[in-house]
Amino acid sequence: MGCRFEIRALSAALFLAVTPGLAAAEGAQCRDDLAILRTGNQPVSFTVEIADSSAERAQGLMGRREMDEGAGMLFIYDRAREVAFWMHDTPLPLDMVFIDPTGEVVKVAANTTPNDDTPIPSGAPVRYVLEINAGMAARYGIEPGAQLAHPSVDPAQAAFPCE
């Protein structure tokens, strides 16, 4: 009898340990260099560089030829506004994830064209834009409605708050 209980307890512990998102359903362990996106109950995280000044946002990922799979750049604005990005001097194809002040994804511009000067508008007021390697949004199911956890999102209005 004791052995069955121990096996069931161990099975339950293993299930919880390998099922992404169950422990992070209510909040996330946030760090400044980590953007955590929740799609349903599935969290995915990217190690990010922060672009929160005008100069850093203007430079963005220009000139970069490659980026690690789990990496990205998080652009942070002081207030929500409509923005437009372009791929000028950016040879790296990207997915652009536009995120409102609550941390909710409002638009994904997937597989942007390298070195293209065509503006890519947010389509709504946003406070964050996450740039990741092209194809990552589709791979992880990042689409409108997904939620960002990051220390810069006001906890009073965060859709996916930090713990």
Side-chain angles (χ1 to χ4, degrees), residues 1-17:
M1 193 86 160
C3 183
R4 281 188 184 167
F5 176 75
E6 288 171 9
I7 290 172
R8 286 185 187 151
L10 179 59
S11 295
L14 286 173
F15 174 77
L16 290 173

PDB file of all heavy atoms in Angstrom, residues 1-17:
ATOM      1  N   MET A   1       0.823  -1.195   0.000  1.00  0.00           N
ATOM      2  CA  MET A   1       0.000   0.000   0.000  1.00  0.00           C
ATOM      3  C   MET A   1       0.861   1.251   0.000  1.00  0.00           C
ATOM      4  O   MET A   1       0.622   2.168  -0.745  1.00  0.00           O
ATOM      5  CB  MET A   1      -0.922  -0.040   1.223  1.00  0.00           C
ATOM      6  CG  MET A   1      -2.022   0.957   1.175  1.00  0.00           C
ATOM      7  SD  MET A   1      -3.406   0.249   0.278  1.00  0.00           S
ATOM      8  CE  MET A   1      -4.686   1.267   0.854  1.00  0.00           C
ATOM      9  N   GLY A   2       1.908   1.288   0.859  1.00  0.00           N
ATOM     10  CA  GLY A   2       2.794   2.435   0.927  1.00  0.00           C
ATOM     11  C   GLY A   2       3.541   2.641  -0.371  1.00  0.00           C
ATOM     12  O   GLY A   2       3.773   3.757  -0.797  1.00  0.00           O
ATOM     13  N   CYS A   3       3.904   1.581  -1.041  1.00  0.00           N
ATOM     14  CA  CYS A   3       4.644   1.669  -2.292  1.00  0.00           C
ATOM     15  C   CYS A   3       3.792   2.308  -3.382  1.00  0.00           C
ATOM     16  O   CYS A   3       4.255   3.141  -4.126  1.00  0.00           O
ATOM     17  CB  CYS A   3       5.112   0.280  -2.703  1.00  0.00           C
ATOM     18  SG  CYS A   3       6.124   0.283  -4.191  1.00  0.00           S
ATOM     19  N   ARG A   4       2.491   1.919  -3.472  1.00  0.00           N
ATOM     20  CA  ARG A   4       1.600   2.512  -4.473  1.00  0.00           C
ATOM     21  C   ARG A   4       1.451   4.007  -4.238  1.00  0.00           C
ATOM     22  O   ARG A   4       1.459   4.786  -5.168  1.00  0.00           O
ATOM     23  CB  ARG A   4       0.227   1.850  -4.428  1.00  0.00           C
ATOM     24  CG  ARG A   4       0.193   0.541  -5.109  1.00  0.00           C
ATOM     25  CD  ARG A   4      -1.218   0.068  -5.192  1.00  0.00           C
ATOM     26  NE  ARG A   4      -1.227  -1.251  -5.786  1.00  0.00           N
ATOM     27  CZ  ARG A   4      -2.254  -2.047  -5.782  1.00  0.00           C
ATOM     28  NH1 ARG A   4      -3.365  -1.671  -5.183  1.00  0.00           N
ATOM     29  NH2 ARG A   4      -2.193  -3.211  -6.348  1.00  0.00           N
ATOM     30  N   PHE A   5       1.278   4.402  -2.990  1.00  0.00           N
ATOM     31  CA  PHE A   5       1.144   5.815  -2.669  1.00  0.00           C
ATOM     32  C   PHE A   5       2.404   6.576  -3.095  1.00  0.00           C
ATOM     33  O   PHE A   5       2.323   7.631  -3.701  1.00  0.00           O
ATOM     34  CB  PHE A   5       0.879   6.026  -1.178  1.00  0.00           C
ATOM     35  CG  PHE A   5       0.840   7.474  -0.795  1.00  0.00           C
ATOM     36  CD1 PHE A   5      -0.254   8.257  -1.108  1.00  0.00           C
ATOM     37  CD2 PHE A   5       1.930   8.073  -0.172  1.00  0.00           C
ATOM     38  CE1 PHE A   5      -0.280   9.597  -0.788  1.00  0.00           C
ATOM     39  CE2 PHE A   5       1.915   9.414   0.149  1.00  0.00           C
ATOM     40  CZ  PHE A   5       0.800  10.186  -0.154  1.00  0.00           C
ATOM     41  N   GLU A   6       3.575   6.014  -2.797  1.00  0.00           N
ATOM     42  CA  GLU A   6       4.829   6.668  -3.146  1.00  0.00           C
ATOM     43  C   GLU A   6       4.974   6.777  -4.667  1.00  0.00           C
ATOM     44  O   GLU A   6       5.422   7.792  -5.184  1.00  0.00           O
ATOM     45  CB  GLU A   6       6.008   5.914  -2.555  1.00  0.00           C
ATOM     46  CG  GLU A   6       6.107   6.066  -1.049  1.00  0.00           C
ATOM     47  CD  GLU A   6       7.142   5.159  -0.419  1.00  0.00           C
ATOM     48  OE1 GLU A   6       7.929   4.521  -1.159  1.00  0.00           O
ATOM     49  OE2 GLU A   6       7.153   5.079   0.809  1.00  0.00           O
ATOM     50  N   ILE A   7       4.580   5.751  -5.397  1.00  0.00           N
ATOM     51  CA  ILE A   7       4.659   5.782  -6.857  1.00  0.00           C
ATOM     52  C   ILE A   7       3.702   6.833  -7.408  1.00  0.00           C
ATOM     53  O   ILE A   7       4.061   7.612  -8.276  1.00  0.00           O
ATOM     54  CB  ILE A   7       4.381   4.392  -7.459  1.00  0.00           C
ATOM     55  CG1 ILE A   7       5.550   3.460  -7.134  1.00  0.00           C
ATOM     56  CG2 ILE A   7       4.155   4.480  -8.964  1.00  0.00           C
ATOM     57  CD1 ILE A   7       5.321   2.012  -7.495  1.00  0.00           C
ATOM     58  N   ARG A   8       2.476   6.878  -6.882  1.00  0.00           N
ATOM     59  CA  ARG A   8       1.519   7.889  -7.346  1.00  0.00           C
ATOM     60  C   ARG A   8       2.018   9.288  -7.027  1.00  0.00           C
ATOM     61  O   ARG A   8       1.913  10.203  -7.832  1.00  0.00           O
ATOM     62  CB  ARG A   8       0.150   7.659  -6.724  1.00  0.00           C
ATOM     63  CG  ARG A   8      -0.568   6.496  -7.326  1.00  0.00           C
ATOM     64  CD  ARG A   8      -1.957   6.374  -6.775  1.00  0.00           C
ATOM     65  NE  ARG A   8      -2.545   5.151  -7.268  1.00  0.00           N
ATOM     66  CZ  ARG A   8      -3.460   4.465  -6.627  1.00  0.00           C
ATOM     67  NH1 ARG A   8      -3.899   4.874  -5.462  1.00  0.00           N
ATOM     68  NH2 ARG A   8      -3.953   3.366  -7.147  1.00  0.00           N
ATOM     69  N   ALA A   9       2.554   9.492  -5.843  1.00  0.00           N
ATOM     70  CA  ALA A   9       3.073  10.804  -5.457  1.00  0.00           C
ATOM     71  C   ALA A   9       4.244  11.187  -6.355  1.00  0.00           C
ATOM     72  O   ALA A   9       4.350  12.326  -6.809  1.00  0.00           O
ATOM     73  CB  ALA A   9       3.496  10.807  -3.989  1.00  0.00           C
ATOM     74  N   LEU A  10       5.121  10.217  -6.628  1.00  0.00           N
ATOM     75  CA  LEU A  10       6.254  10.484  -7.501  1.00  0.00           C
ATOM     76  C   LEU A  10       5.767  10.787  -8.916  1.00  0.00           C
ATOM     77  O   LEU A  10       6.249  11.723  -9.554  1.00  0.00           O
ATOM     78  CB  LEU A  10       7.205   9.286  -7.515  1.00  0.00           C
ATOM     79  CG  LEU A  10       8.439   9.411  -8.414  1.00  0.00           C
ATOM     80  CD1 LEU A  10       9.275  10.620  -7.990  1.00  0.00           C
ATOM     81  CD2 LEU A  10       9.272   8.149  -8.352  1.00  0.00           C
ATOM     82  N   SER A  11       4.778  10.051  -9.405  1.00  0.00           N
ATOM     83  CA  SER A  11       4.227  10.301 -10.741  1.00  0.00           C
ATOM     84  C   SER A  11       3.623  11.692 -10.824  1.00  0.00           C
ATOM     85  O   SER A  11       3.825  12.414 -11.797  1.00  0.00           O
ATOM     86  CB  SER A  11       3.153   9.258 -11.083  1.00  0.00           C
ATOM     87  OG  SER A  11       3.725   7.985 -11.169  1.00  0.00           O
ATOM     88  N   ALA A  12       2.879  12.086  -9.801  1.00  0.00           N
ATOM     89  CA  ALA A  12       2.283  13.419  -9.783  1.00  0.00           C
ATOM     90  C   ALA A  12       3.362  14.492  -9.746  1.00  0.00           C
ATOM     91  O   ALA A  12       3.280  15.500 -10.455  1.00  0.00           O
ATOM     92  CB  ALA A  12       1.349  13.578  -8.582  1.00  0.00           C
ATOM     93  N   ALA A  13       4.403  14.293  -8.957  1.00  0.00           N
ATOM     94  CA  ALA A  13       5.493  15.270  -8.874  1.00  0.00           C
ATOM     95  C   ALA A  13       6.210  15.389 -10.217  1.00  0.00           C
ATOM     96  O   ALA A  13       6.531  16.484 -10.668  1.00  0.00           O
ATOM     97  CB  ALA A  13       6.483  14.868  -7.778  1.00  0.00           C
ATOM     98  N   LEU A  14       6.449  14.260 -10.888  1.00  0.00           N
ATOM     99  CA  LEU A  14       7.099  14.297 -12.193  1.00  0.00           C
ATOM    100  C   LEU A  14       6.217  14.997 -13.217  1.00  0.00           C
ATOM    101  O   LEU A  14       6.693  15.783 -14.025  1.00  0.00           O
ATOM    102  CB  LEU A  14       7.439  12.886 -12.662  1.00  0.00           C
ATOM    103  CG  LEU A  14       8.612  12.223 -11.952  1.00  0.00           C
ATOM    104  CD1 LEU A  14       8.734  10.761 -12.384  1.00  0.00           C
ATOM    105  CD2 LEU A  14       9.903  12.968 -12.219  1.00  0.00           C
ATOM    106  N   PHE A  15       4.908  14.758 -13.190  1.00  0.00           N
ATOM    107  CA  PHE A  15       3.983  15.410 -14.112  1.00  0.00           C
ATOM    108  C   PHE A  15       4.040  16.917 -13.937  1.00  0.00           C
ATOM    109  O   PHE A  15       4.157  17.662 -14.898  1.00  0.00           O
ATOM    110  CB  PHE A  15       2.551  14.897 -13.888  1.00  0.00           C
ATOM    111  CG  PHE A  15       1.534  15.639 -14.725  1.00  0.00           C
ATOM    112  CD1 PHE A  15       1.391  15.358 -16.075  1.00  0.00           C
ATOM    113  CD2 PHE A  15       0.739  16.621 -14.161  1.00  0.00           C
ATOM    114  CE1 PHE A  15       0.467  16.042 -16.838  1.00  0.00           C
ATOM    115  CE2 PHE A  15      -0.189  17.302 -14.920  1.00  0.00           C
ATOM    116  CZ  PHE A  15      -0.329  17.012 -16.269  1.00  0.00           C
ATOM    117  N   LEU A  16       3.992  17.375 -12.690  1.00  0.00           N
ATOM    118  CA  LEU A  16       4.040  18.813 -12.430  1.00  0.00           C
ATOM    119  C   LEU A  16       5.381  19.407 -12.836  1.00  0.00           C
ATOM    120  O   LEU A  16       5.451  20.524 -13.322  1.00  0.00           O
ATOM    121  CB  LEU A  16       3.756  19.108 -10.958  1.00  0.00           C
ATOM    122  CG  LEU A  16       2.310  18.864 -10.524  1.00  0.00           C
ATOM    123  CD1 LEU A  16       2.195  19.025  -9.018  1.00  0.00           C
ATOM    124  CD2 LEU A  16       1.358  19.796 -11.247  1.00  0.00           C
ATOM    125  N   ALA A  17       6.467  18.660 -12.670  1.00  0.00           N
ATOM    126  CA  ALA A  17       7.793  19.179 -12.984  1.00  0.00           C
ATOM    127  C   ALA A  17       8.015  19.318 -14.486  1.00  0.00           C
ATOM    128  O   ALA A  17       8.741  20.196 -14.926  1.00  0.00           O
ATOM    129  CB  ALA A  17       8.866  18.269 -12.396  1.00  0.00           C
TER     130      ALA A  17
END
